[in-house]
Amino acid sequence: MIALTLSRIAEIVGGRLADVSADEASRIKVTGTVEFDSRKVTAGGLFLALPGARTDGHDFAGTAIDAGAVAVLAARPVGVPAIVVDPVAPDAGAAGTAGVLEHDADGSGAGVLAALARLAAAVAAELVADGLTIIGITGSSGKTSTKDLIAAVLAPLGEVIAPPGSFNNELGHPWTVLRATPSTDFLVLEMSARHPGNIAALARIAPPSIGAVLNVGTAHLGEFGSREAIATTKSELPQAVPASGVVILNADDPVVSAMADKTAARVVRVGRGPDADVRADGVSLDPLARPSFTLHAAGSQVPVTLAVHGDHQVSNALTAAAIALECGATLEQVAASLAAAGPASRHRMQVSTRGDGVTIINDAYNANPDSMAAGLKALAWMAREARSFAVLGEMAELGEDSISEHDRIGRLAVRLDVSRLIVVGSGRPMSAMLHGAVMEGSWGSEVTQVADADAALALLRDELQDGDVVLVKASNSAGLGALADALAADATGEGAR
């Protein structure tokens, strides 16, 4: 972040100084990173004291100072230099802090989060005044993969800050904003939502001059209640972009395309249809489902070959391309950057082939009906001449549609001619997935339901053969990431290549 004195930070967040004099606070500057994990504190940093499931960050204030932090942002004095802010009632609505801080009965963590947001907003405003371009992206699926592609295509144009993994909520969003420094040219931010108002609140912290909406699906359907409510919430991003900015919309999703009426900004549509401003045609997939296509924009065209896997990545790449073009890249630069941009975030369409010829598709970080379908289609393509194994866990937060959506995915596995479906988990949604597969294909031994990841791993180790292709996918709460890692690392051959 930009260098700020403790007294200036206290003024910004509305806090009071503790265990540091006013004179010292006017001289001591935060010059390092802002961290909520004391193990990641750097010299000159600021430590956030947040309550957790097992520990309270206030208990690690001294450790953070010993590691190089110059102060702590806290809800109470901690015996070391601190900026103390008042607690606030945890909010499950627009601010969403209740979803981030599940162990915050007294509102102390919510107070620290609110202070963090105010600090990030002040830093963002100063950096924008100095020329920083802020890019916000949202969508029901594909945000993290697209964020990684955007960072890759912008890298030749200047310094880029983007969140690691999926840091896209009321903690990860301002944390990422505070990674930016005066030398940062582009700040790429994911914006997620569990309730109406979430995206608008994030956009107020760091107002984007470029906003992109990828799709509207059924992720978090249990929280929102309807796809229409999801669309309304996603449209908060185009509404937040000023008239001087640009909004990138997916023309292949009619609900997203209609958001052009929600913004005063200039609209650029991306897609495969002839009316898209930035479009792809001639899409083909190689044996590992890596797409190639012709990219068209502004009357010119260039061939593109992606290093990421799955037909669904074409839409993500088009969004990244449109943003890069708006920021000054040439078509040739975009094509070269996309060709070099492999999977950058763990457990998201990571493809590896072991020494024994077994290919693992590790997409275990998250899942919703749309991304699950995309993963199954990629599996079917990659295993056209081999046996395919779909190892699927629960898709969380689907509400009353959970049973029907899991049933639908089971049926889709049959229609895509998956060789073997392994349903992981014993709850009703997973039983529905099993039932859907059995009813769709009169399946018997082709589908198996196991209690947990350990049972699935044991089964796979017993059954996998040279040349098999395995997809591992579920919501992160199902914990299948470790299963996919174990499969990829299995010493059944010469290791991954």
Side-chain angles (χ1 to χ4, degrees), residues 249 257-264 267 269:
L249 298 178
S257 187
M259 292 180 190
D261 296 334
K262 301 282 189 179
T263 182
V267 172
R269 288 182 169 88

Side-chain angles (χ1 to χ4, degrees), residues 6 56 130 200 205 225 260 264 292 324 330 332 352 475 494:
L6 299 188
D56 185 338
D130 288 339
I205 294 172
S292 294
T330 65
E332 290 72 21
S352 61
S475 287
E494 299 172 2

Side-chain angles (χ1 to χ4, degrees), residues 137-150 165-166 168 188-193 212 214-215 219-220 234 316 348 366 368:
I137 58 171
T138 193
S140 294
S141 60
K143 292 186 295 297
T144 299
S145 296
T146 305
K147 172 263 301 179
D148 291 336
L149 291 176
I150 294 169
S166 294
N168 55 24
V188 184
L189 299 169
E190 286 188 48
M191 296 182 176
S192 70
L214 306 179
N215 46 57
H220 306 304
K234 299 301 181 187
N316 299 339
R348 294 168 181 83
N366 212 346
N368 58 60

Side-chain angles (χ1 to χ4, degrees), residues 235-257:
S235 72
E236 292 170 10
L237 177 55
Q239 293 176 67
V241 178
S244 59
V246 180
V247 168
I248 314 296
L249 298 178
N250 179 3
D252 296 333
D253 186 325
V255 176
V256 174
S257 187

Side-chain angles (χ1 to χ4, degrees), residues 10-73:
E11 179 184 354
I12 290 170
V13 305
R16 59 188 182 277
L17 299 169
D19 295 294
V20 59
S21 70
D23 181 63
E24 290 174 316
S26 67
R27 292 185 287 105
I28 298 173
K29 289 185 176 181
V30 173
T31 57
T33 59
V34 178
E35 303 291 353
F36 53 87
D37 184 338
S38 61
R39 296 166 296 184
K40 296 181 179 180
V41 167
T42 59
L46 178 69
F47 177 62
L48 305 178
L50 292 169
R54 298 180 180 84
T55 59
D56 185 338
H58 291 81
D59 298 334
F60 294 88
T63 302
I65 295 296
D66 290 342
V70 296
V72 179
L73 185 57

